[in-house]
Structures are given as C-alpha cells and as structure tokens.
Amino acid sequence: MAAAYAKELLGCVQSSVVNAEDPAKAILEKVQLQIDSMQQTTAATRATADSIRSDLHTSEIKRWLCPPDPSSNASHARTLRHEGTGAWLLESPVFQEWHSGSRRQLWLHGLAGCGKSVLSTTVLDHLAKRDDNLILSFFFDFSDVAKQTLEGMLRSLAFQLYDGGVDSANHLDASFQAHRNGSDQPTIKVLRGVISKMLVAQRKVTIVLDALDESKTRKDVLEYIENMVLNPDLVHVQLLLTGRPESEFLRDIPPLIGKQNCLPLDKQAVNSDIRSWVTAQLSQRRDFIQKPLSQSLLEDIRKKVGDGADGMFRWAFCQLDSLAECPHEEAMEEALESLPGDLDKTYERMLESIPTERKSDAIRLLQFLVHSKRPLTLAEVKEVIATKIENDSQRFYMKRRLFCETEILTYCPGLVTVVHAKDKELHLAHFSVKEYLLGRNKFKVTAASICITRTCLTYLTDINGSEREIKHNFPMAAYAAEVWACHAALAQIYDEVVRMIVSFLKEETTFQRWARLHQADRSWDKSPGAPRGSRLYYACLNGLDVPALEFIDRGADVNAQGGSYGNALYAASQGGYQEIVKLLLNKEADVNAQGSEYGNALQATSQGGHQEIVNLLLNKGADVNAQGGSYGSALYAASEGGYQEIVKLLLNKGADINAQGSEYGNALYAASQQDHHFLLQSVTKMKISR
C-alpha cells in the first residue's frame, strides 16, 4: 500500500521539479527500495512459516499412523545389487507393456533366494526416472512385525500418498481431525476408504508390493488387492507384485489379473545375472583381490558358483562368503569340491562352523532374531551377548560388551546381516534362514522363549540407576521390559522359569524397574511411571497363569482394583487368557466388577471375540445387560467386532437388542455401520421373534 502511494505521489510531481529536487527523488527511491525489500522479506517469512507448519503437521500425521518405512528395505536391496542386474526384466516385452500402461498389473514370482526384492528395487529405480506419476512401495518383511500385515501396508501407503500427493492430502487430514486430531487410531476399514479416495485424486499411480509370501495376513492382503484391481475408479493405478508361487497366490492371482500378467522369473536370465555378479565380486571384493589367487582357481569359482546356483542368488552369495573366509588356496579348492547342494545344507554348514566358544551366544542371538517382533539394534544385540544365562554365571557383564559393533557378524557369519535403517539393525540374512532355523529344535518357539525370558529377566535384574540413567546406559532395557512377558507365557511350563518370574515380580526393586519401563495396558506410554496395579494384576494381564496361581496361593486379593483395566479378571478376559479366567472365577473373583472406564469383563471378552470366556463368565452369573464402559454393553461390543456366535450367545441369554451402546447407538446400528451383514440378519431375526 505504501509502495503504491509513493509511486502515485511521484507521478503527480512535475519533472522539472523532480530534477531540481534530486535529493528528494533519491530519498523516495531509497524508501521504495526499502519497501520492496520489506515485502520480499515478509513473503519469504510467510512461506517459511507455512513450510514449518506443513512440516509440523506432516510429523503429526506420521506420529498418528506410525507407518512402516519401505526405504530401509530398498536401500538394503541396493547394496546387494550388481550393476546390470535385472536388465533382462526391464527389457522384456511383458514388463515394457506394463511400464507403458497397456498392462495394469504384473506378478513376478520365483523360488526362495532368486533375488525378487533386488528386482523390485531395480524396478523402483527404473520408474523413478519418469516424473509423470506417483510411485508407492511396500516390502513385506519376515524380520519386522510391522511389515507383515495388511494394516502395516495400508499405514505405509497412506503416509506415502500424503507425503507425495498434494492433491490427495486433504482426505487424510480430514480423517486425522475426525479421529480427534490423532488421539484415536483409524481402523483398517477407515484406512482402506481414505487410501481409495487419495488414489482417485491422483492422475497416475504405480504401486510395487514386494514379498507377498512374507505377509502374515495373506488372505486380507489378497482381498485388498482384488478390491483395488476391480475398482473402476482406480484404472489409473498400476500394480506390480512379487512373491513365491505359493498355493494361495497361484489360486487367487492368475484369475484376478490374467495368466498373461503372471511372470515366472526366467531362471536362465537369473543365472546370467548371478554369473555376472560372481565375476564382479571376484574382481572387486577385497577378500579376493588381496589374495594371490591363480587364474585357474578364479575360473573354477566362476564356474562352480556362477553356474551352479540354479537360479538362487542367495546360494551363490553364501558360497562366496564362505570361500572368502578360507585362509589359503588349498582350503578354497577343498571347499569348491564340497559345495553344499542347497540352501538348507548351506545353513547347516554355517551353524556347524561357528566356533565352540561363541556357539551358545550365537544360538541365543539367533533365537532372538527368529522370534523378535521387530529387528534388534546393534546396541541391543551387544547387550544380549553381554548377558550370560548359564546357572553358574547368570548375570549381565558390562565387560562382555563388544568393543566393535561389526564383531557381531562374526558370531553368526552368513546367517545375519546389518541393515542401515534409523538405527543400525541386525536382521536374519534372508527369509530362508528363518525357515531353516525354525525346523531345528533349538529354535522352536518354546525352547527359544526359555532362553529369551532368562536373558531379559537377568538383564533387567542386574541393571541399575534412575529411569533416565537406565534408558541412557542400558540400550536393551526398554526392549527387554516389553518382550519378556510374552515369551515367559510360552515358557512357564518349566519350573525354573516360573521361579525366576515370581522372584522378579516379588522383588520390589525389579517390579518397580520393569513397570517404569513398560506396562502392557499403557503400551503407548514410553514412561508409564509406577505400577498402577498389583503383581497379580500384571501376571494376569500378561497371560502368566502359573505365577498368577502362586500369587493367589500367597494371599493376593483377586478383586483388588488397580491398573488401566481396573481388575485382574478384566485384564485376563480382554487378553483371551482362558485358564487365568477359570482360575480367578474359581477363587471367587467378582464376575460383574467394573474395569475402570472400559466396562466389565464380559464386555471386554465380547469385544475381543473370546467365545469360550464369554461362556465361562455367563455361566458364573455375568449380567448380560450390564451397562457402562466405552462400548456400553456386551452385545454392542460383540456386534461392533463382528463376532456372530457371541452375538447369538448373548441374545439367547437375554441380551437387550435395543440397549444403547456408544458411538453407533444400539447393537443393530453398530453392525450396520461396520458392514457386518450376517450380524444384521441375526439381530433382526431375533428382534422380530421377540
């Protein structure tokens, strides 16, 4: 405004006057420059502030969704890729037709270890050269629970769309606001709906879903893919899938996308990639070029490893790793003469070659990796190794912490690998490693859970300091506090483990230390504070039925109030721990006791779908029409969850169909809003008959 006025003023002044008044003109021009500068600064400041607000909101959306990050998988795959790998795929007519858009879907399938994830990354990098479409990806991952489910995939895709698609961001923003600005979590149904709207808003989208066979919710993932393929509003979305040709995929995918769009990986082409990779490794890898190897030996390696892989990149990778460890040429020649015939024999040889003095630590480390819900950081792995669980020396030894993180790889050579994610993480080297180990008795879930429980409890018992000091000085503290109980529940058939659990919970210091690090009913809280419930409550909450019986026999009050769920019966009911529920009921637990803000045990177990426990509670006199809690009634809770048999059971016991619930009113409306059509029929029939 000031600038416009200055220009208007200058226009009204005669030029002769202006020439005569040069100093005034200079002053006005200087004022104009200052005004222009201020306007530019204001605009830049506003843009910066808008950018900061946008970044802060994106961070809020990310905290809300907690989306698994596929970039760590892609980055790791790139480290395994040799230049030129997968060129045969990019040049194939089928892929080029898909790339051009004349094919909408493509499924690449091949056996274990043939390099599918590397090919997925090759495709992603090839697609990135175009700037005319949005590229989304997700890598199902056996080593990370968050990357094994449909929900994890949906959360990741939703955030990628939000982060990269300005036109569609408003749909997720609206959902964020509808969920009380992130205070409530979206259901899978909500995520599916939001993603569909976000995809429709895009001009062109390509989605790459890798390793479908590593998903633990295959049926749900396949159903989602089917809906996406058949949705007429998503014809602009291209889809590339990879995975093993396992039965459900062979049954469902070809009829859905057409056999012509299902491409088995060309073993001959893969073998050509393997030969090129082996040749490159021999000429570039320090382990080989620093050794005076004869040309005949190098040629022998190229022939036996490069030509003997039979389409398995993983097999060739393992053989070169083993050869690189050979101390002299004769050892290499002997190794070449006795190469294992397949991956299982390769892994067996790797286990046998672990030095005796490291074997017990290596086995325990592998047990953690096989059964962990998430990858362990290298800092956590060092703590596992520093903790001894043998009876004569059971304790955590700080002096056993490895000097160098890379030393970890020497404990399980060939079986593990370091992945550079947010923190350096230790992963099993391949899905086939996990499959092989699970076939051996030491790595079955019960045997492994015993060792994991003893390791975690020993560690948590020996560390000390304030909560802040413990989190800073003992990297495995939070992880051990979170996971020990779920493993202990699987290992409590062993008296020694039970004694260790009871002692840990009975001792005030360790009980307080554990609770301040983790409470399962407040898993979202990284600093949950002092325990809010009794030792019996936490034993029931975590499915520890044998320790729970010990606490009851020692006089624990089964009806004591406390904890986020209010009482032990509610905690056991919502977790589906039938034996504990029986125990508590036999010890005169109040079947109708309110569990804090969450209602009573019948409502909790109805919402969780635990039919046998519903029966137990009803037979002990649970009030089928008790009101209260976030669901209002047991019938509402079961209807909202879609549990048809529980709904029938409650109705047969006299549940009030018209009783008001929570968000959706009564049970009939809850079923309709959640698309549980089969429930609508049951509830409607019962309502008519009454």
Side-chain angles (χ1 to χ4, degrees):
M1 196 169 192
Y5 177 75
K7 287 181 179 178
E8 187 177 345
L9 181 63
L10 284 172
C12 294
V13 180
Q14 295 181 9
S15 58
S16 59
V17 175
V18 172
N19 291 333
E21 301 292 341
D22 283 341
K25 180 181 178 182
I27 291 171
L28 286 173
E29 287 176 347
K30 187 174 181 181
V31 169
Q32 179 64 54
L33 289 172
Q34 290 176 337
I35 291 171
D36 290 344
S37 177
M38 288 175 63
Q39 288 177 330
Q40 291 172 2
T41 301
T42 301
T45 302
R46 186 180 297 114
T48 301
D50 289 343
S51 176
I52 291 172
R53 277 195 296 271
S54 176
D55 289 345
L56 288 172
H57 187 60
T58 299
S59 297
E60 289 178 341
I61 295 290
K62 189 173 185 178
R63 280 194 295 271
W64 175 50
L65 290 177
C66 296
D69 181 11
S71 67
S72 60
N73 300 83
S75 296
H76 182 62
R78 289 187 186 99
T79 66
L80 304 176
R81 186 177 68 197
H82 169 60
E83 185 177 353
T85 298
W88 61 271
L89 172 63
L90 303 180
E91 295 166 2
S92 69
V94 173
F95 179 84
Q96 290 187 356
E97 289 171 10
W98 175 82
H99 190 223
S100 68
S102 57
R103 295 174 187 256
R104 279 185 58 207
Q105 299 93 22
L106 193 60
W107 176 38
L108 306 178
H109 57 85
L111 297 178
C114 68
K116 296 181 290 294
S117 294
V118 173
L119 285 176
S120 293
T121 305
T122 299
V123 170
L124 286 171
D125 290 345
H126 184 69
L127 294 174
K129 296 175 183 177
R130 299 191 325 189
D131 58 0
D132 62 337
N133 69 330
L134 182 63
I135 303 167
L136 311 177
S137 66
F138 189 75
F139 291 71
F140 289 98
D141 188 344
F142 71 94
S143 65
D144 189 341
V145 169
K147 295 180 179 179
Q148 294 172 5
T149 64
L150 172 65
E151 183 175 0
M153 182 191 82
L154 294 176
R155 287 174 179 270
S156 180
L157 295 181
F159 185 72
Q160 290 177 65
L161 277 164
Y162 186 84
D163 205 29
V166 177
D167 296 336
S168 59
N170 60 307
H171 297 294
L172 194 58
D173 281 334
S175 184
F176 176 77
Q177 293 169 7
H179 287 81
R180 298 193 301 159
N181 289 325
S183 296
D184 298 331
Q185 283 298 306
T187 63
I188 289 178
K189 180 184 175 184
V190 167
L191 287 169
R192 290 178 62 154
V194 170
I195 289 172
S196 182
K197 292 176 183 177
M198 296 174 83
L199 288 172
V200 168
Q202 297 297 317
R203 189 170 65 86
K204 189 174 182 181
V205 184
T206 301
I207 303 177
V208 176
L209 302 179
D210 180 67
L212 297 181
D213 51 292
E214 296 185 30
S215 168
K216 288 189 175 179
T217 59
R218 295 182 184 183
K219 181 180 178 181
D220 295 335
V221 170
L222 285 170
E223 188 264 336
Y224 178 76
I225 290 171
E226 180 181 5
N227 286 344
M228 186 185 297
V229 169
L230 299 179
N231 189 336
D233 294 328
L234 300 180
V235 293
H236 61 296
V237 176
Q238 285 186 281
L239 197 60
L240 186 140
L241 315 170
T242 76
R244 300 188 198 183
E246 297 188 356
S247 57
E248 58 263 64
F249 303 133
L250 290 170
R251 181 191 65 222
D252 294 344
I253 295 179
L256 176 64
I257 69 174
K259 290 183 179 180
Q260 71 277 13
N261 296 315
C262 301
L263 183 64
L265 295 185
D266 186 341
K267 186 181 288 188
Q268 193 172 2
V270 173
N271 279 332
S272 178
D273 278 351
I274 293 172
R275 283 192 292 271
S276 297
W277 177 78
V278 170
T279 299
Q281 289 288 297
L282 293 175
S283 63
Q284 298 170 13
R285 184 168 169 174
R286 185 180 304 172
D287 295 320
F288 294 111
I289 62 177
Q290 289 186 345
K291 296 172 182 175
L293 304 179
S294 66
Q295 285 302 312
S296 61
L297 179 57
L298 290 171
E299 184 58 34
D300 209 17
I301 295 174
R302 270 190 289 267
K303 182 179 179 181
K304 292 188 175 181
V305 178
D307 295 342
D310 194 31
M312 290 188 292
F313 245 113
R314 174 67 188 156
W315 181 88
F317 186 90
C318 291
Q319 307 321 316
L320 280 193
D321 266 5
S322 296
L323 290 169
E325 295 297 317
C326 291
H328 46 70
E329 191 163 326
E330 184 180 37
M332 278 192 179
E333 291 173 348
E334 291 174 355
L336 282 171
E337 289 302 317
S338 59
L339 291 176
D342 56 30
L343 283 176
D344 279 359
K345 291 177 181 176
T346 298
Y347 298 146
E348 182 179 358
R349 186 175 295 184
M350 287 177 173
L351 273 181
E352 291 173 350
S353 67
I354 296 173
T356 303
E357 66 274 13
R358 294 188 173 186
K359 183 152 286 187
S360 62
D361 288 333
I363 295 296
R364 192 155 44 91
L365 181 53
L366 291 170
Q367 289 171 330
F368 267 88
L369 295 179
V370 167
H371 294 285
S372 177
K373 291 184 178 180
R374 66 160 176 80
L376 273 68
T377 66
L378 296 194
E380 289 168 342
V381 171
K382 287 171 65 176
E383 304 295 90
V384 172
I385 293 173
T387 306
K388 294 180 69 68
I389 62 171
E390 293 77 12
N391 288 331
D392 58 342
S393 57
Q394 184 169 313
R395 61 169 297 183
F396 168 66
Y397 294 86
M398 290 188 67
K399 290 185 177 180
R400 294 192 83 241
R401 281 177 173 169
L402 298 176
F403 289 124
C404 181
E405 289 178 340
T406 55
E407 277 292 306
I408 291 167
L409 294 175
T410 66
Y411 278 75
C412 315
L415 298 170
V416 298
T417 187
V418 174
V419 173
H420 295 266
K422 181 181 178 181
D423 297 303
K424 290 181 183 178
E425 298 173 348
L426 192 70
H427 292 222
L428 292 173
H430 194 262
F431 191 22
S432 56
V433 176
K434 181 174 183 176
E435 291 177 316
Y436 167 76
L437 293 174
L438 283 171
R440 297 173 64 90
N441 289 333
K442 289 181 180 178
F443 300 97
K444 301 288 188 184
V445 65
T446 302
S449 291
I450 292 170
C451 291
I452 294 171
T453 302
R454 293 179 64 190
T455 301
C456 291
L457 292 183
T458 299
Y459 184 78
L460 291 170
T461 299
D462 282 359
I463 61 178
N464 54 68
S466 66
E467 179 186 341
R468 178 179 295 182
E469 290 170 341
I470 285 175
K471 289 181 176 179
H472 181 267
N473 297 327
F474 301 99
M476 197 175 72
Y479 174 83
E482 179 181 351
V483 306
W484 77 263
C486 64
H487 290 289
L490 299 169
Q492 58 186 332
I493 58 175
Y494 289 88
D495 292 342
E496 181 186 343
V497 173
V498 172
R499 285 195 295 271
M500 195 172 185
I501 295 169
V502 172
S503 174
F504 180 83
L505 294 177
K506 184 181 176 183
E507 174 61 43
E508 185 68 19
T509 301
T510 49
F511 178 57
Q512 290 284 340
R513 181 180 299 147
W514 171 49
R516 291 176 184 279
L517 290 168
H518 178 77
Q519 294 177 30
D521 54 0
R522 296 176 62 83
S523 57
W524 47 269
D525 191 346
K526 301 304 180 185
S527 296
R532 293 167 171 78
S534 67
R535 288 160 173 79
L536 174 62
Y537 169 84
Y538 287 107
C540 295
L541 175 66
N542 289 285
L544 303 174
D545 49 309
V546 182
L549 177 59
E550 283 220 24
F551 286 124
I552 292 173
D553 288 343
R554 295 181 183 193
D557 181 0
V558 296
N559 289 309
Q561 291 290 302
S564 294
Y565 295 143
N567 58 67
L569 182 61
Y570 186 107
S573 298
Q574 68 83 33
Y577 302 124
Q578 186 174 336
E579 294 304 314
I580 298 181
V581 171
K582 284 182 183 178
L583 170 66
L584 293 170
L585 292 174
N586 289 336
K587 297 294 183 178
E588 305 302 323
D590 182 355
V591 73
N592 289 308
Q594 282 295 111
S596 185
E597 63 185 275
Y598 296 101
N600 60 27
L602 183 61
Q603 292 169 10
T605 201
S606 297
Q607 187 274 331
H610 308 302
Q611 186 177 345
E612 292 302 319
I613 297 179
V614 171
N615 261 319
L616 284 172
L617 296 173
L618 289 173
N619 291 337
K620 281 289 186 176
D623 181 357
V624 74
N625 287 310
Q627 293 284 302
S630 56
Y631 289 102
S633 70
L635 183 61
Y636 177 95
S639 300
E640 196 271 346
Y643 301 114
Q644 185 175 17
E645 294 305 314
I646 295 178
V647 167
K648 289 180 180 178
L649 179 61
L650 294 170
L651 289 172
N652 289 333
K653 291 289 186 178
D656 182 358
I657 298 173
N658 296 309
Q660 289 298 298
S662 175
E663 183 178 353
Y664 298 124
N666 61 26
L668 188 64
Y669 192 52
S672 67
Q673 288 298 297
Q674 294 299 316
D675 290 339
H676 300 316
H677 303 297
F678 54 90
L679 277 181
L680 281 172
Q681 296 173 2
S682 297
V683 176
T684 303
K685 286 179 182 178
M686 184 65 74
K687 189 168 185 178
I688 292 172
S689 68
R690 289 183 181 179

